[in-house]
Amino acid sequence: MSLPILPSCSVVPSDEELAALLETNRYDRELYRLADARRKEYYGTDVYLRGLIEVSNFCKNDCLYCGIRRSNRQLERYRLSDEQILQCCETGYALGYRTFVMQGGEDAAFSDDRLVPLVVQIRRRYPDCAITLSFGERSRESYQKLYDAGANRYLLRHETADAEHYAKLHPPEMSSANRKECLWNLKRIGYQVGSGFMVGSPFQTTQCLVKDIRFLQELQPAMIGIGPFIAHHQTPFVRHPNGDFILTLRIIAVLRLLFPYALIPATTALGTIDPQGREMGLRAGANVVMPNLSPLEVRTKYALYDNKICTGEEAAECRNCLTVRVESVGYQLVTDIGNVKKIKTA
Ligand code: SAM
Ligand code: FES
């Protein structure tokens, strides 16, 4: 297999080449170097901030991997008020955030009747900011209303592009087909769409990962979020091993080479399985960080997986901590809306 295929992208790597690249760690250093060079061509050394507001841990779904699944009766549930959410935006804006990401479980309380006026208010107060939503699967009409209200981006990981694998991670009422249809609807409406998957989710094979990459190539999302699967002790997957750190880094690098324009976060999950995870993610080609803007008192309750980091720090502490971390590996956090770049800066 010849690595230069990837950086030049003049030849689309075959499934076999992709699989071989994912299964070996022989070329890591060279792979990261190439991915970093590619990201610098498009984004220089800038790292974009997204302020994450975890608005609710109620969820009607029962995804087997997720700590806030409806069957987890031990979890104390919460949902933020509009005032609390607006306060998070105010704090974030003062700290230089120009993207607010509202994320939650699929909570009926966040109906269109509640969300539309909230989005309108945030749009009115912060015309220079991006409003990103991540509320799971909704109807096309709902996505349209939220877009018309002022939301511009939507995060919805496809989780796995392989329908059989999807069925092993989710209850029967959920389907890979519906999730993909939601992503296409979001794209048709005009959202900047973010998709992605967990690395090392139970039953995942290299072939699943190849399919994930192929699906992303079809979808061409603006953002690609990947992070290791991390077991949660109150889910059926409690005994499954966590996703592999090095494999996650390798996939970040491959994604950067295949999607040079994309916004790729160094995720909290990556920072959870390794103390230097986010820094190494940036060096492998990631260019976004998503610190937490949620009120301190709810942080531990948005427990998707065990040992999640950054649950005890104020928003300003997180911002400062990340400034140091990002600079330690030669990049800098920027106060910028951080839209996707389709063309090279150089
Ligand atoms: N409800 C929205 C949705 O379905 O997209 C947003 C919330 S959902 C909890 C956000 C993401 O967390 C999921 O897309 C999934 O990939 C990730 N996640 C959930 N459980 C996880 C786990 N145990 N380890 C790593 N990531 C996990
Ligand atoms: Fe939140 Fe370090 S990034 S405390």
Side-chain angles (χ1 to χ4, degrees), residues 157 197-201 225-230 243 248 252 265 267 269-270 273:
R157 289 182 175 182
F197 54 90
M198 286 176 288
V199 176
S201 57
I226 65 154
F229 159 76
I230 303 177
T248 311
I252 289 176
T267 57
L270 196 60
I273 55 165

Side-chain angles (χ1 to χ4, degrees), residues 278 310 313 318 321-322 325:
R278 287 168 296 175
C310 303
E313 288 80 16
C318 270
C321 166
L322 273 176
R325 285 175 182 273

Side-chain angles (χ1 to χ4, degrees), residues 109 182 200 345:
C182 286
T345 49

